[in-house]
Structures are given as C-alpha cells and as structure tokens.
Amino acid sequence: MTIQKSEAIVLKTWSFRETSLIVNLFTKDFGKIGGLIKGIRQAPQRYGGLPLVFSRSSIVFYERPKRDLNLVTQCDAGEQFLPIRRDLEKTNYANYFLELLDAVTFDYDKNEGLFELTVDSLKALCLEQESWRIARIFEIRLLNLSGFKPRLDSCVNCQRRITAEGRFSSILGGILCPRCFACDSRAKATLRGTLASIDYIEKSSWQKALHLKIAPDIASELVTILTSFLDIHLDKRIKSRKFLI
Ligand SMILES: [Zn+2]
C-alpha cells in the first residue's frame, strides 16, 4: 500500500458499521476517490472531527489498488465554509456545485482546475449575496474544464462563422446558423448578450467574471440554456437543482 496525501473537498459521507465512515472525496492531486475512515465515529477527535460535506480538508490515505475504497488515516478540516452552513440558500447552491462536480468526473481523473473552481465558488458563496451569479459562473467554467464546452463561436453543424442571429441547440451542443436551423427544430433563438456573457465568463479572470453585469433577460436565458445543455450532456438529472431559487 502506498501512502499519499492531498487537499480534498468532501463530496459525500456515509456511516459504515458502528464506528466507521465512508467518504467520497474530490482531491487536488488524484481527482475523485473513495475512502474508508476506520473508527472515526467512535473517536472523531483523533481525526480532527467528523468530515463535513463541502469542507476542504488535508487528507492522508493508503492507496489500495485492488479495493474500491482507500484507507484514509487523516482528514483534517482546513476550511469549513461556515457562512454557507448558516444559510439554507447557500447550502443548497453548495450541494448543487458538488453534485455537478461529481457528475462530470471519474475516479482518479485528476483535474486541478475543477478543484480550484470549486474552492473559489465555495469561497465566493461565503461572501457574495447573489448565489445565482456564482452558479452560472460555476456551470460555464465546469463545462469548459471537463470537456463539455458548448460550441458558440461558429455553427455546430456547418462550422461557418455566425453572422446573423443563431439558435442554441442543446442536443447538438452549440449554436446553429440560419442555414442549419432545420437540424434541430427545438433549438432556441438566443440573445447575443447571452452568448457574449458565456464567452466572457469562460475567458476572463475569476474576479472579472464575478463582476460581470448580467441583465435579467440574459440571466434567465442562461438558466434555460445551461440547464437543458447540462441535462442532455450529463445524461442525468441533477436532483439538487430543484432547491435553487
Ligand atoms: Zn450552419
């Protein structure tokens, strides 16, 4: 067994037998892993307390290549994101971020960008009043970092540059030019400001993205487009979304 250490975000926890805990973690250095923490429910102080969902912890674990679960021997909570835990709306958004992160990742598929995005988003939730804004930034950047990015700079069917009003096709994964509207009758007319906002959020710094002014009609169109795109390309419904405002 090889001993490893990493920073990790706690995605889920389950009780195991009388005294132990199973944890699903998204680590900075190894991607998503499963772990067993033996005896922690009997003596949580030995581990620095019980690991809480969406806390950021420093973990030490023994890799067990032939077993589903690694043996976690240390799980020190570094950041608990307390302002989120005191606010139901923020808690719902944090749970949504973790469910999306879990849905786009596979075990042992390291993605430091996704780790940093999640930490930045949880930190921003602690400070920012507008949780919906952080959610749109999280969704757009998560799609980018996990290889699900929609095609917006040219027609997803014929690859021509979009010069007139395009329509967004969730099924085809991007914008259709007027010549290709027939490829998807359910593609939706999309405001230019919506596409420009997605492009800006993808390319700008975290701070600049947080301060982007988003008009109400664009905010509402972003929800429609991103929800339908995520549902189709993740091939599953994200259950925690129904608790968002
Ligand atoms: Zn086209």
Side-chain angles (χ1 to χ4, degrees), residues 110-144:
K110 177 182 171 179
N111 192 326
E112 224 173 303
L114 275 180
F115 181 87
E116 297 298 346
L117 170 69
T118 309
V119 170
D120 284 344
S121 301
L122 293 172
K123 280 183 181 170
L125 266 187
C126 290
L127 303 169
E128 177 75 37
Q129 295 303 309
E130 294 182 310
S131 303
W132 65 266
R133 176 190 298 280
I134 302 161
R136 297 301 84 76
I137 298 171
F138 182 80
E139 290 161 340
I140 291 166
R141 293 194 169 213
L142 171 118
L143 286 168
N144 226 345

Side-chain angles (χ1 to χ4, degrees), residues 48 68 116 134 148 165 168 188 191 197 214 223:
D68 287 342
E116 297 298 346
I134 302 161
F148 289 98
E165 290 298 316
F168 186 81
K188 287 191 169 64
L191 297 167
S197 299
I214 303 177
V223 173

Side-chain angles (χ1 to χ4, degrees), residues 39-56:
I40 188 170
R41 291 169 60 222
Q42 201 170 33
Q45 67 284 357
R46 257 180 36 212
Y47 296 87
L50 286 171
L52 298 173
V53 171
F54 64 77
S55 60
R56 178 191 190 178

Side-chain angles (χ1 to χ4, degrees), residues 2-186:
T2 315
I3 191 161
Q4 305 283 12
K5 58 181 179 178
S6 183
E7 283 180 66
I9 297 161
V10 182
L11 296 176
K12 283 181 206 159
T13 66
W14 301 266
S15 298
F16 181 68
R17 296 194 176 142
E18 292 288 297
T19 60
S20 302
L21 204 65
I22 293 174
V23 284
N24 196 13
L25 304 163
F26 190 75
T27 67
K28 186 174 185 177
D29 300 296
F30 304 91
K32 192 161 66 180
I33 64 165
L36 175 66
I37 316 181
K38 284 185 176 172
I40 188 170
R41 291 169 60 222
Q42 201 170 33
Q45 67 284 357
R46 257 180 36 212
Y47 296 87
L50 286 171
L52 298 173
V53 171
F54 64 77
S55 60
R56 178 191 190 178
S57 304
S58 299
I59 63 155
V60 175
F61 65 100
Y62 287 94
E63 266 188 300
R64 303 198 294 181
K66 292 183 181 163
R67 310 280 285 272
D68 287 342
L69 296 172
N70 300 288
L71 200 59
V72 179
T73 55
Q74 218 173 302
C75 188
D76 298 328
E79 227 166 335
Q80 303 261 10
F81 302 109
L82 292 176
I84 299 178
R85 295 179 197 284
R86 294 187 192 116
D87 182 315
L88 180 61
E89 182 197 314
K90 288 178 191 288
T91 301
N92 289 339
Y93 273 94
N95 286 330
Y96 173 62
F97 296 169
L98 295 198
E99 194 180 348
L100 273 185
L101 176 65
D102 194 15
V104 300
T105 52
F106 299 97
D107 285 359
Y108 281 99
D109 190 10
K110 177 182 171 179
N111 192 326
E112 224 173 303
L114 275 180
F115 181 87
E116 297 298 346
L117 170 69
T118 309
V119 170
D120 284 344
S121 301
L122 293 172
K123 280 183 181 170
L125 266 187
C126 290
L127 303 169
E128 177 75 37
Q129 295 303 309
E130 294 182 310
S131 303
W132 65 266
R133 176 190 298 280
I134 302 161
R136 297 301 84 76
I137 298 171
F138 182 80
E139 290 161 340
I140 291 166
R141 293 194 169 213
L142 171 118
L143 286 168
N144 226 345
L145 288 164
S146 56
F148 289 98
K149 178 177 154 45
R151 184 169 188 157
L152 303 176
D153 53 351
S154 56
C155 174
V156 70
N157 184 55
C158 72
Q159 283 85 50
R160 286 192 184 91
R161 272 186 65 80
I162 306 277
T163 50
E165 290 298 316
R167 288 184 188 170
F168 186 81
S169 164
S170 294
I171 289 176
L172 297 173
I175 288 290
L176 286 171
C177 74
R179 294 185 203 207
C180 300
F181 284 171
C183 293
D184 177 8
S185 59
R186 288 195 288 179

